[in-house]
Amino acid sequence: MNFSSDTSAPAHPSVLEALAGVNNGMQPSYGADDVTARLKGELSRVLETEDFDFWLCASGTAANALALSCFCPPMGAILCHEEAHIARDERSAPEFFTGGGKLQLLPGNGAQIEEAALRDAIAAIKPDFVHETPAQVLSLTNLTESGTAYPQSQIAHYAALAKEVGLSVHLDGARFANALVSTGASPAEMSWKAGVDVLTLGLTKTGAMGCEIIILFGEARAKFNELKARAKRSGHMPPKMRYLAAQAIAMLADDLWLKLAGTANQRAREISNLLCRDGRTELVHPVHGNEIFVRLSDDNLSALNAAGATFYPWIGGSHRLVTSWCTPEETVMRLSGCLA
């Protein structure tokens, strides 16, 4: 019973088959290969548009930092939630890649930015006031770091507020598929149709070996050459990009990524229900995706530890459990037998 993280899960067999399938012959380097070209078509189908450019990375931190560096200058700021991954878990990579850009942290329940705080931050932007650092980008995360999902309407609302004052909008989609399944939105509705300029679409947590896609929409495509240059300068220009592209094609084909996210979400709901059935374990945040944040009762904590379950202590005495595409029904049944 390993609930440590979805990054601990193996790659889906379809991904490994796809890698083997492209592992033959010579192909041009750095994304000029036939496989990466085919990915453009798959992304166009999924996103319902051809008005985009994309770049492939092996890690979410690189994808976020590269994306943000194209929109935030060294003397600018990025508005984000105080619990956002770019603030808590990326060792100042966004600041490093932007050459000094500042993260301006905003509050809100469930790691979702509170609207009043966002409005206050936007109202306080004074580009001509030399003593302050004006915001240039709004960065949202879906799923959030608390496992909650912004609905498409809220993404669109916040993006509109940001664009009124000239901010670009970034969406960290490390668990994008989980958010889509939870809300019922389409990839297009949750991204460019909602006003997102740059999406970091994560497939690693969903079932890939290591594949993150930076996607520039509409007018943001003007940043594509800069994105490639920054990728090269920072060591994130994969020479054999076909192997990243093959992973993405395998995940997107027949909506496999959404099916896998649906399985992970379902297991999380089942497990959260089991944990809470004793009446003393409490959810800290709603379970919108594949992450469970709970204050465990003493009995449940003891039972999980006795069963050898792997999970992490979290903020304020709570614990986090994460499911994945390969969390089996047998785990749910075993857990049911362990708990009070």
Side-chain angles (χ1 to χ4, degrees), residues 239-319:
K240 297 183 180 181
M241 195 177 284
R242 59 171 148 163
Y243 294 98
L244 293 176
Q247 293 181 62
I249 290 172
M251 291 293 290
L252 298 175
D254 298 320
D255 294 332
L256 176 62
W257 66 311
L258 297 178
K259 294 171 186 174
L260 298 182
T263 296
N265 287 8
Q266 177 64 26
R267 295 291 178 267
R269 288 192 298 270
E270 293 168 352
I271 289 168
S272 66
N273 288 338
L274 290 175
L275 292 170
C276 292
R277 73 183 180 184
D278 69 352
R280 299 186 303 280
T281 291
E282 298 176 345
L283 290 177
V284 178
H285 304 293
V287 180
H288 289 166
N290 65 320
E291 296 179 285
I292 307 162
F293 296 85
V294 291
R295 291 190 182 89
L296 292 166
S297 65
D298 290 342
D299 288 344
N300 276 353
L301 181 57
S302 296
L304 286 167
N305 287 330
T310 304
F311 56 101
Y312 289 133
W314 215 251
I315 300 168
S318 64
H319 289 82

Side-chain angles (χ1 to χ4, degrees), residues 55-248:
W55 191 253
L56 293 163
C57 294
S59 81
T61 295
N64 282 333
L66 277 170
L68 290 167
S69 71
C70 291
F71 295 90
C72 182
M75 292 183 288
I78 300 162
L79 302 178
C80 66
H81 193 276
E82 59 193 0
E83 297 295 335
H85 201 271
I86 61 173
R88 292 289 188 182
D89 301 287
E90 296 186 357
R91 197 58 183 265
S92 73
E95 294 95 326
F96 178 68
F97 275 59
T98 59
K102 176 183 178 181
L103 297 185
Q104 186 174 338
L105 309 182
L106 304 180
N109 294 328
Q112 295 190 13
I113 295 173
E114 180 183 278
E115 182 172 343
L118 176 59
R119 286 184 177 275
D120 287 346
I122 288 173
I125 297 173
K126 297 180 176 64
D128 298 326
F129 187 51
V130 71
H131 300 290
E132 293 190 6
T133 307
Q136 304 287 329
V137 183
L138 170 64
S139 180
L140 304 171
T141 310
N142 220 13
L143 295 174
T144 71
E145 289 307 300
S146 292
T148 64
Y150 283 102
Q152 175 273 338
S153 59
Q154 192 171 8
I155 297 280
H157 178 52
Y158 281 10
L161 293 176
K163 292 187 176 232
E164 282 180 7
V165 293
L167 271 61
S168 301
V169 180
H170 164 250
L171 183 61
D172 178 351
R175 293 186 175 95
F176 191 55
N178 303 92
L180 294 175
V181 171
S182 175
T183 62
S186 70
E189 290 169 339
M190 192 67 82
S191 58
W192 64 273
K193 286 185 178 181
V196 171
D197 296 298
V198 53
L199 166 68
T200 49
L201 194 165
L203 294 173
T204 307
K205 294 179 186 296
T206 311
M209 179 181 292
C211 181
E212 313 286 319
I213 313 174
I214 303 170
I215 304 173
L216 303 171
F217 295 107
E219 294 181 3
R221 297 177 69 183
K223 297 285 187 179
F224 186 54
N225 285 336
E226 179 182 347
L227 173 62
K228 289 191 291 184
R230 287 179 176 274
K232 179 63 176 178
R233 185 170 185 257
S234 61
H236 290 287
M237 179 173 274
K240 297 183 180 181
M241 195 177 284
R242 59 171 148 163
Y243 294 98
L244 293 176
Q247 293 181 62

Side-chain angles (χ1 to χ4, degrees), residues 7-22:
T7 56
S8 300
H12 190 272
S14 294
V15 170
L16 300 182
E17 291 172 9
L19 288 170
V22 301

Side-chain angles (χ1 to χ4, degrees), residues 1-5 8 304-305 307-312 320-322:
M1 291 194 289
N2 191 318
F3 305 115
S4 58
S5 176
S8 300
L304 286 167
N305 287 330
T310 304
F311 56 101
Y312 289 133
R320 186 191 79 162
L321 295 84
V322 185

